[in-house]
Amino acid sequence: MDASIASLYSFPKEIEALSKKAESLCRDAFARMEEISYYNEAKVLKAFADNRVSETHFAGSTGYGYDDRGREVLDAVYAQAFGAEDALVRLHFVSGTHALSTALFGILRPGDTLLSLSGKPYDTMEEVIGIRSGKTGTITNGSLKDFGIDYEQIDLLPDSLPDLTAIRKKAPLAKVAYIQRSRGYAMRRSLSIAVIERMIRAAKEANPDILVFVDNCYGEFVEEKEPTEVGADLMAGSLIKNPGGAIARTGGYIAGRRDLVELCSYRLTSVGMGKEVGCTLGQNEAMFEGFFFAPSVTAAAVKTSLFASALFSLMGYQTSPRYDEPRTDIIMAIELGSKEKMCAFCRGIQMGAPVDAYVTPEPWNMPGYDDQVIMAAGAFHNGASIELSADGPIKEPFSVWMQGGITYHTGKIGVMLAAGELLKADS
Ligand SMILES: *Cc1c(COP(=O)(O)O)cnc(C)c1O
């Protein structure tokens, strides 16, 4: 079988041998991911059937988008699959950050306190909350803080465990508790659904009125349950990550309690109009189809990540999470130890992309970052990180974060190309 691939890609013998070994190390984890995908695919399929999805729902609307039945059914399909009362799935969300920001502005009011239970939130959320001034150089910029919403944070304990004692103590002061499921680009573990459930229980025992909001980016369909199925009141994510299945062209979603989703819809459009407007311009079909593919595409990304974790550990690199650790998101970090190796790694990942494979990624100065950043991305949709991609800031310990892979075999080839480039950089 590999003989025919060798006529297309000439991997070093050593990489081929290590890849075989890596794949056999992953056998159990792959089987587990297949089971999870089977269940999630069934969950989504059932949601399509129960909500009577039909071809007429793919027709696009324009202008105000009144009576766009496809848009309404898509919301219902997401809600059912995520075990939520309602959902707001829109191409009008320009990114994950926009969906998260809309949710927070939707449910918080001046004088309220937002309490993070999972330490420092994702970089872009710091500016939304108003704890970092960012490019505007000021926090009187319409951030939550600028609107009189306080922010408090409970850091994770060593080993990324939640501080349940501090959660019980501080929850009574807060209107909204904030949990970030994925590690994002931080050096911490991602929080499993089981851990999130414990955090929610602790917060609600101490304050039955608290609203729990989860940043679910990168987490959808990696486990059998979503945060809204274990007590979260609201969650949000991006459609150019897992739930868009690499087919949705842009967008985001918010899902959870019906009254809260309604409030968020007032923030996305306007008070009174809410969910009733927003034309879909012919994008409903891609959003439905992407959601249909999402569980299996997510499983491909997780398998790519598991394979990479095993292969690079065999090559002597520190990877996190390891291939034998349970997953709750699609991200993995690899400590490479030098700028040259980061460049080599990203070069290889880029060579494995379907789009712009001929391009050589170089470190550059990115707005908002103190260090130069290198990025490998050759995606169908600009910035889509459900597609194989890697990036990292050029600084100690010279780690890259890798995610995506919309089919396992193409993801595997990208990872093997990265391994080949690393090997060359080493010699
Ligand atoms: C991707 C991501 C976001 C939002 O990022 P966008 O680039 O705005 O889509 C927020 N939180 C986490 C944990 C993420 O992974």
Side-chain angles (χ1 to χ4, degrees), residues 95-97 100 122 124 180 182 184 215 217-218 238 241:
S95 66
T97 303
L100 295 163
Y122 194 75
T124 55
Q180 183 183 307
S182 170
D215 171 354
C217 284
Y218 284 139
S238 162
K241 294 180 180 173

Side-chain angles (χ1 to χ4, degrees), residues 317 336-346 400 422 425-426:
Y317 296 99
L336 293 171
S338 75
K339 174 180 174 179
E340 289 66 38
K341 287 190 181 179
M342 287 180 76
C343 293
F345 182 93
C346 289
V400 287
L422 268 184
D426 231 359

Side-chain angles (χ1 to χ4, degrees), residues 2 15-25 27 307 311 314 412 416:
D2 279 348
I15 299 298
E16 270 187 30
L18 288 176
S19 295
K20 280 213 177 73
K21 201 164 166 197
E23 233 166 21
S24 71
L25 285 175
R27 203 173 298 138
F307 170 73
L311 178 61
L314 289 172
K412 176 186 170 185
M416 288 174 76

Side-chain angles (χ1 to χ4, degrees), residues 263-318:
L263 285 174
C264 297
S265 76
Y266 291 166
R267 198 50 39 197
L268 174 63
T269 66
S270 68
V271 179
M273 290 192 178
K275 300 184 75 190
E276 311 293 313
V277 293
C279 66
T280 53
L281 300 170
Q283 294 304 308
N284 282 345
E285 181 176 1
M287 290 163 93
F288 274 111
E289 193 176 352
F291 197 57
F292 176 79
F293 274 100
S296 68
V297 168
T298 300
V302 172
K303 285 171 69 178
T304 301
S305 177
L306 290 164
F307 170 73
S309 185
L311 178 61
F312 294 116
S313 333
L314 289 172
M315 290 174 74
Y317 296 99
Q318 196 76 35

Side-chain angles (χ1 to χ4, degrees), residues 20-263:
K20 280 213 177 73
K21 201 164 166 197
E23 233 166 21
S24 71
L25 285 175
C26 290
R27 203 173 298 138
D28 290 347
F30 280 10
R32 175 79 192 117
M33 198 58 228
E34 291 295 338
E35 270 174 43
I36 292 170
S37 183
Y38 184 20
Y39 175 73
N40 284 329
E41 286 174 64
K43 194 156 91 163
V44 168
L45 181 63
K46 188 75 171 25
F48 270 63
D50 288 353
N51 288 284
R52 305 170 72 108
V53 173
S54 99
E55 195 182 348
T56 57
H57 298 142
F58 303 153
S61 58
T62 58
Y64 295 132
Y66 288 140
D67 302 319
D68 187 316
R69 188 64 193 136
R71 187 188 64 213
E72 292 166 5
V73 172
L74 183 64
D75 286 346
V77 168
Y78 260 71
Q80 180 173 329
F82 288 163
E85 285 176 10
D86 200 2
L88 183 67
V89 187
R90 293 294 183 276
L91 60 99
H92 312 93
F93 286 121
V94 302
S95 66
T97 303
H98 184 204
L100 295 163
S101 170
T102 302
L104 293 178
F105 277 97
I107 61 176
L108 284 156
R109 295 293 176 268
D112 287 344
T113 296
L114 172 67
L115 174 65
S116 168
L117 311 186
S118 50
K120 190 186 93 57
Y122 194 75
D123 279 34
T124 55
M125 295 309 293
E126 291 183 285
E127 282 184 66
V128 171
I129 294 166
I131 48 178
R132 186 164 60 86
S133 59
K135 70 173 173 218
T136 57
T138 163
I139 45 171
T140 56
N141 56 2
S143 66
L144 289 171
K145 186 186 172 86
D146 192 19
F147 277 94
I149 292 153
D150 285 333
Y151 172 76
E152 290 210 39
Q153 176 175 313
I154 298 170
D155 287 329
L156 293 170
L157 298 172
D159 218 21
S160 306
L161 292 168
D163 188 345
L164 297 177
T165 312
I167 291 174
R168 286 195 194 91
K169 195 165 132 221
K170 291 203 163 173
L173 308 168
K175 162 91 168 284
V176 174
Y178 187 94
I179 299 172
Q180 183 183 307
R181 177 174 176 181
S182 170
R183 64 193 297 164
Y185 301 96
M187 270 299 173
R188 65 140 162 116
R189 279 176 212 275
S190 301
L191 303 174
S192 70
I193 292 294
V195 168
I196 289 173
E197 186 170 18
R198 285 204 288 281
M199 295 165 83
I200 295 174
R201 200 175 304 142
K204 295 211 169 195
E205 272 165 16
N207 176 3
D209 295 328
I210 202 166
L211 300 175
V212 179
F213 173 74
V214 177
D215 171 354
N216 204 30
C217 284
Y218 284 139
E220 299 87 355
F221 298 126
V222 176
E223 295 194 63
E224 276 138 342
K225 284 185 178 175
E226 299 301 331
T228 37
E229 294 173 271
V230 296
D233 298 286
L234 202 65
M235 64 182 189
S238 162
L239 296 205
I240 55 169
K241 294 180 180 173
N242 312 11
I247 293 175
R249 309 182 73 165
T250 186
Y253 77 90
I254 296 173
R257 244 170 63 182
R258 191 177 305 282
D259 57 329
L260 303 178
V261 170
E262 181 77 16
L263 285 174

